[in-house]
Amino acid sequence: RAATARRSPATRSLGRAHRSRTPRSAGPGRLAGYRPPPGEGRGPPGRDLIDLSTMAPPAAPSTERREPRIFETWEGNDRFFCDGRCMTGPSPGSLAGTCALVLVPSAVFNALVVPDVASKYSLAFTVVAIAWPLWCLSCLVAAGTADPGIVRREPYRPPQDGRARARYREERLPNGKSVTVKWNDTCNLYQPPRAHHCSVNDDCIDKFDHHCPWVGTTIGRRNYRPFLGFVFGTAILCVFVIATCALQIKIKYDELPAETQSRNLKAMGEAPAAMIVLFVAFLGFCFVGVLSCFHAYLVATNQTTYENFRDGYSWDENPHNKGLIGNCLEAWCAKAPPSRFRFRKPASQQPHLDGVADETKVEVVVDGDGGDGGDGGGVAPAEPPRRGTGGPRMFPATARAVPTHVSDPSIEDEQRRRAELAEARATKRRIEMELARAEDKMRELAVRVERGEM
């Protein structure tokens, strides 16, 4: 009573008003505001009740940690968009710029040049002028957003008996020819035949061709065919654009009176868009035309750009040569191997592919680790193949060699350092992803608090 007496009249009136608006509970375990279904007991009129004793307790928040997905802890320089659904190289802006370089002149060409030629000759010009640039763009995007054939990185494993691995080893292909492969310190494995580690993407690429700055990524086994489609398709598009622009200039020339002075120059002045597009197409053809001829030679001889500049195989020396028809069929008709990764899946749900191409199913002839070469007593090449005036560009079994294992603590320390660095980078990316998710949750909670939902 003393506490009640000390309260002001306004406070006592507010308390009475609050008690008058709050319905009383009819018993233990009852709440107001619930209308029971037919057949369930009801309380006094106007008070629909619910029995809390029948309600399950709220589930405790899950403390289980979600396993990060592959693209969230990716160690290469590739970029991922749309929650891992789209993958590009380190410079997606280059891909967008190349798309604009094809799309903008094509739009001007279709708007200002094609209508005159199509009305004069055939509507087929309109169909080709629209469909062919779209085909080139589709090949460009497919090459720039595909997995080029990235080889899976392996965890660091110390050499057997604590001895350093040989830098190179010899392997035999299914066709019986031998090639020399190199140990990759970043991926901790011997690279598959024709593979190479791209320093720009920081990935080991199967059948590495080159890193294309126009596509913004590396060209390898899985995106070489769409790259060829873009190169050859763009060369044909340039020829078509040049011919169509010349036809529009001819139409303007025929429309001028025969006695007109400087008829040629005036006809060109009547078609300024055709002159500009023709000049751009000519410059483009000077580049992609030469590139098309070079890659036609590579396809015919079954070489990559990297192999051509490094080894310079002749027709008989190339261990991958299958003949002209076989080489062309491999480049244009062979089924593309599946990717070694499911980027939106965690590491525990990745596919286990022993070999994604026939050339990866090799036999180890001379093993640099002493574990796969049969009795472990083989020898490994001391250095990679060199150019020569003749003979095969690989090490035969009788080549000069060094002992399989050479104690070199510096190599082992470097490999361990690289492994620790890769692990630290993966941990950093995982922490950054967790912090980003925590910030998103904090922002969401702040919005809900502001709206009065909590």
Side-chain angles (χ1 to χ4, degrees):
R1 288 196 195 93
T4 306
R6 286 195 298 269
R7 280 188 278 178
S8 64
T11 304
R12 291 197 296 271
S13 62
L14 287 175
R16 286 194 297 269
H18 176 71
R19 288 193 297 271
S20 64
R21 289 194 299 267
T22 304
R24 296 182 179 179
S25 175
R30 300 284 182 171
L31 287 179
Y34 172 74
R35 185 176 299 277
E40 184 176 329
R42 294 175 177 269
R47 296 181 182 177
D48 300 328
L49 308 175
I50 180 174
D51 189 0
L52 290 180
S53 61
T54 61
M55 296 179 61
S62 176
T63 59
E64 184 178 353
R65 187 174 179 179
R66 182 179 68 86
E67 185 179 0
R69 292 175 287 183
I70 288 295
F71 81 93
E72 295 175 344
T73 58
W74 189 252
E75 299 182 29
N77 295 330
D78 308 276
R79 304 280 297 276
F80 294 89
F81 303 92
C82 301
D83 197 29
R85 292 179 175 86
C86 178
M87 172 187 179
T88 65
S91 52
S94 301
L95 176 62
T98 307
C99 291
L101 196 61
V102 176
L103 189 59
V104 173
S106 299
V108 176
F109 174 68
N110 279 278
L112 302 178
V113 178
V114 175
D116 291 343
V117 179
S119 61
K120 177 71 174 180
Y121 294 99
S122 173
L123 290 177
F125 281 90
T126 303
V127 176
V128 175
I130 295 176
W132 202 252
L134 294 179
W135 160 258
C136 296
L137 285 175
S138 64
C139 291
L140 173 62
V141 173
T145 58
D147 171 14
I150 303 174
V151 178
R152 190 188 307 275
R153 301 188 186 211
E154 298 293 339
Y156 172 76
R157 295 187 301 269
Q160 295 181 4
D161 302 330
R163 293 173 292 182
R165 293 183 178 87
R167 193 66 175 169
Y168 300 89
R169 80 177 183 186
E170 187 179 352
E171 295 180 350
R172 181 175 291 116
L173 299 176
N175 59 11
K177 297 183 179 180
S178 297
V179 293
T180 301
V181 297
K182 179 182 178 181
W183 174 262
N184 190 318
D185 291 326
T186 304
C187 299
N188 298 307
L189 49 76
Y190 282 101
Q191 297 174 164
R194 314 189 79 175
H196 180 71
H197 194 91
C198 177
S199 59
V200 182
N201 284 42
D202 195 19
D203 294 318
C204 184
I205 308 297
D206 187 18
K207 197 179 179 182
F208 172 83
D209 190 86
H210 69 289
H211 181 86
C212 181
W214 299 95
V215 182
T217 189
T218 302
I219 306 302
R221 185 183 295 276
R222 297 192 69 253
N223 63 347
Y224 186 60
R225 189 178 304 161
F227 172 77
L228 289 179
F230 168 69
V231 171
F232 288 109
T234 308
I236 297 174
L237 177 63
C238 290
V239 174
F240 173 74
V241 170
I242 292 173
T244 306
C245 290
L247 285 177
Q248 189 192 32
I249 296 174
K250 180 180 180 301
I251 292 173
K252 300 297 183 182
Y253 179 87
D254 294 338
E255 292 176 353
L256 295 174
E259 62 276 5
T260 303
Q261 295 182 354
S262 302
R263 192 176 178 184
N264 294 332
L265 295 177
K266 289 188 176 181
M268 294 179 186
E270 291 291 332
M275 292 298 300
I276 296 175
V277 175
L278 188 149
F279 178 72
V280 173
F282 177 76
L283 291 181
F285 180 75
C286 291
F287 174 71
V288 296
V290 175
L291 194 61
S292 299
C293 295
F294 176 66
H295 279 280
Y297 165 75
L298 294 180
V299 169
T301 57
N302 201 343
Q303 296 185 68
T304 64
T305 303
Y306 180 74
E307 291 171 347
N308 181 264
F309 282 92
R310 183 192 65 177
D311 300 318
Y313 290 126
S314 67
W315 182 265
D316 296 330
E317 295 171 348
N318 188 358
H320 312 287
N321 186 13
K322 300 178 181 178
L324 179 61
I325 298 178
N327 295 337
C328 294
L329 289 177
E330 178 182 337
W332 292 104
C333 303
K335 183 179 179 181
S339 174
R340 293 175 171 86
F341 300 93
R342 301 292 182 266
F343 295 103
R344 301 187 72 246
K345 300 290 186 181
S348 59
Q349 301 180 20
Q350 294 301 304
H352 300 283
L353 304 177
D354 296 330
V356 297
D358 290 338
E359 290 180 344
T360 61
K361 301 174 183 178
V362 297
E363 176 188 353
V364 178
V365 179
V366 178
D367 187 9
D369 195 23
D372 298 327
D375 56 0
V379 290
E383 51 187 19
R386 303 291 183 184
R387 289 178 177 269
T389 56
R393 310 275 182 180
M394 73 288 289
F395 280 100
T398 58
R400 180 178 61 87
V402 297
T404 304
H405 299 292
V406 179
S407 298
D408 191 352
S410 61
I411 297 179
E412 185 177 352
D413 293 342
E414 177 67 16
Q415 293 174 351
R416 185 182 297 106
R417 187 191 65 82
R418 288 176 178 268
E420 293 175 354
L421 179 61
E423 184 179 357
R425 291 169 60 185
T427 304
K428 177 184 176 183
R429 294 184 183 182
R430 183 168 58 253
I431 293 174
E432 290 176 350
M433 294 295 298
E434 292 177 356
L435 289 176
R437 285 194 294 267
E439 291 177 357
D440 293 340
K441 290 182 179 179
M442 291 295 295
R443 283 193 291 268
E444 181 181 355
L445 290 175
V447 172
R448 294 177 63 183
V449 169
E450 291 177 0
R451 294 177 180 176
E453 298 178 1
M454 295 185 63

